[in-house]
Amino acid sequence: MSKPTIYELDGRVPLAQAVPFGLQHVLAMFVSNITPIIILAGIVGVDSALQGALIQNCMIIAGIGTLVQLYPLWRIGSRLPIVMGISFTFLSLAIVIGTGMGMGTLMGAVVIGGIVEGILGLFARYWIRIISPIVAATVVTAIGFSLLPIGANSFAGGQGAADFGAAHNWIVGSVTLLTCLVCQVFGKGFLRSLSVLVGLIAGYILSLFMGMVDFSSLNGVGIVSLPKLLPFALEFNIGAILSIIAIYMVSATETIGDTSALCAGALKRQPTDKELGGSIACDGFVSSIAGLFGCTPITSFSQNVGLASMSGVVNRSVIAVGAGIMILGGVFPAVGVVLTTIPQAVLGGCTLMMFGSILFAGFGMMSKCGFDNRNMVTFSQRIVSPLSSSSPSS
């Protein structure tokens, strides 16, 4: 019997092969995984030491969520090579709740909402076929529109910053964005899949030379630290909970799409109802755990779905090695604190392209649905509410 390869779903491959391919998945999602919590913590006003702990927690939760998807606990998890990470989908609402009601209220809503989505995932076979493709496309498009102002504010230095709109922020943000675009358009293979990370590194190096990086927060940081449980005391507000649950339903549709895309592109088949339900259940229940550690909800990462489809690497043990790398990275607090020194302008240059890609994905989903009169009416009715509830300040 031949030994399993990285192109087969099951079986262990040699560690020498698993590490580089697992690391590739980590690098492809690393920036996207930590950016939401950095933006949220910066706007809400969380101190730098706690920001570092939250970034640690996000890395660990992403690794745990990925392992649960790979190796299910009962019916929680899909047994598919899906990489999980902190979702951008919740960012706009999280900022509104975090600034208006406090981080404790936000985390209480995250915990309750995750349980609701997890339970829905366990019973997905009874409802999963009723989701209209045009509704999912409309939701994704609205998310892209609502997030663009947040990226623009970060691009200018972060709303409320003393140097908001200063020339050095525009220079650093522009160089970061241009580097991302050049790698995405002209890069090939590995370089293209890491275009956001390359842009972040370029912008960070430039900001170092321009004196925009402060390393004072590294003073007194230990070498190893366990994740911080309940950094915010949980509070429960029915309005916040219902709002978050609504976004969890959006996240569930995204997870359905990612799971279907992975099976079609990498495994050349359609997903089963059990796999779809397991993906959603993992999305919800692990998000509840994320709330206990001060993190916003997690979801499947589309860029990793694309990477698996492009490379054909679907072996679960390979992805598990990547999950292990994320968890190990989260145990070393200096990593998290260093990441908090990334200037807002650098994050803005990266996120503008990522947020734009979400908007583009929504347009792509709509094109597959068709532009008949019924879809146009559905889109026009459903796009107004999300857009009217978001503003550049959020």
Side-chain angles (χ1 to χ4, degrees), residues 72-78 121-126 274 277-279 281-282:
L73 301 174
W74 187 46
R75 291 160 55 191
I76 304 172
S78 63
L122 296 179
F123 297 94
R125 65 181 181 273
Y126 297 111
K274 181 179 179 180
S279 291
C282 175

Side-chain angles (χ1 to χ4, degrees), residues 131-272:
I131 297 178
S132 170
I134 187 61
V135 172
T138 302
V139 168
V140 173
T141 304
I143 291 169
F145 274 123
S146 66
L147 288 175
L148 283 175
I150 297 174
N153 283 330
S154 294
F155 192 95
Q159 188 167 359
D163 61 348
F164 183 81
H168 58 266
N169 286 326
W170 290 105
I171 292 172
V172 170
S174 298
V175 169
T176 303
L177 177 59
L178 182 61
T179 304
C180 292
L181 291 173
V182 169
C183 290
Q184 184 67 28
V185 174
F186 298 104
K188 295 181 179 179
F190 191 74
L191 179 63
R192 184 174 184 179
S193 68
L194 297 178
S195 58
V196 172
L197 183 62
V198 173
L200 186 146
I201 292 174
Y204 191 74
I205 292 174
L206 177 60
S207 62
L208 277 171
F209 283 106
M210 297 180 68
M212 297 170 60
V213 181
D214 180 14
F215 290 109
S216 60
S217 57
L218 278 170
N219 295 332
V221 175
I223 298 176
V224 178
S225 176
L226 296 177
K228 185 176 179 63
L229 180 64
L230 291 175
F232 309 104
L234 299 184
E235 299 178 16
F236 302 98
N237 177 281
I238 187 63
I241 291 172
L242 292 177
S243 299
I244 286 290
I245 288 175
I247 306 302
Y248 266 113
M249 299 304 99
V250 176
S251 180
T253 64
E254 294 177 339
T255 300
I256 291 171
D258 283 342
T259 305
S260 300
L262 175 70
C263 288
L267 301 177
K268 309 304 179 185
R269 62 173 176 82
Q270 293 299 310
T272 65

Side-chain angles (χ1 to χ4, degrees), residues 5 12 31 85 111 152 176 194-195 215 235-236 265 273 278 281 308 341 346:
T5 71
R12 293 185 180 181
V31 175
V111 170
T176 303
L194 297 178
S195 58
F215 290 109
E235 299 178 16
F236 302 98
D273 287 351
T341 67
V346 176

Side-chain angles (χ1 to χ4, degrees), residues 7 43 51 91 114 178 222 292 319 347 354 393:
Y7 305 108
I43 293 176
Q51 283 188 41
L91 183 56
L178 182 61
L292 297 177
I319 311 301
L347 294 174
M354 288 190 285
S393 62

